[in-house]
Amino acid sequence: LVERLADWSEACADRGTESADVLVRIERFRRRGRAIRQFVDLWCHRCEHAAAIQLAASERFRWPLPEPDADPWALMHQILDWEVRDLVAA
């Protein structure tokens, strides 16, 4: 997760936009990363699916909900792949 967030931040900075805009986007990436980590923790480690679904709705996650017994590592990678699609589309 940290590696992907760093890559997204570097790509954002390389676009040559205003430094204030870059900082805003990097902060958005950081908050998004924390929410994704929290979702995976709730879903996979705590098995609190209702709380994870509520978090997904409040954060407006666009990816599909995983299977109840999803592997945390695989789930994180699936989510990040979806997030990259959204970044490319934006």
Side-chain angles (χ1 to χ4, degrees):
L1 177 62
V2 172
E3 194 172 307
R4 289 275 186 109
L5 291 171
D7 290 345
W8 297 344
S9 298
E10 287 174 6
C12 181
D14 289 344
R15 289 186 185 152
T17 56
E18 297 283 329
S19 61
D21 292 338
V22 170
L23 293 176
V24 168
R25 290 198 71 161
I26 289 172
E27 178 61 20
R28 204 174 300 149
F29 294 154
R30 187 191 67 76
R31 285 193 315 258
R32 189 77 169 180
R34 289 184 78 184
I36 291 168
R37 186 216 45 88
Q38 182 67 26
F39 178 87
V40 173
D41 182 53
L42 287 169
W43 192 271
C44 297
H45 299 293
R46 298 184 193 182
C47 295
E48 294 181 15
H49 298 155
I53 291 169
Q54 185 176 14
L55 175 64
S58 67
E59 292 292 334
R60 298 181 183 181
F61 291 149
R62 296 181 185 190
W63 23 269
L65 293 175
E67 295 294 321
D69 60 345
D71 175 69
W73 187 87
L75 177 58
M76 181 67 73
H77 283 278
Q78 290 169 357
I79 290 171
L80 292 176
D81 288 344
W82 274 90
E83 290 289 318
V84 167
R85 288 182 207 139
D86 282 350
L87 283 174
V88 170

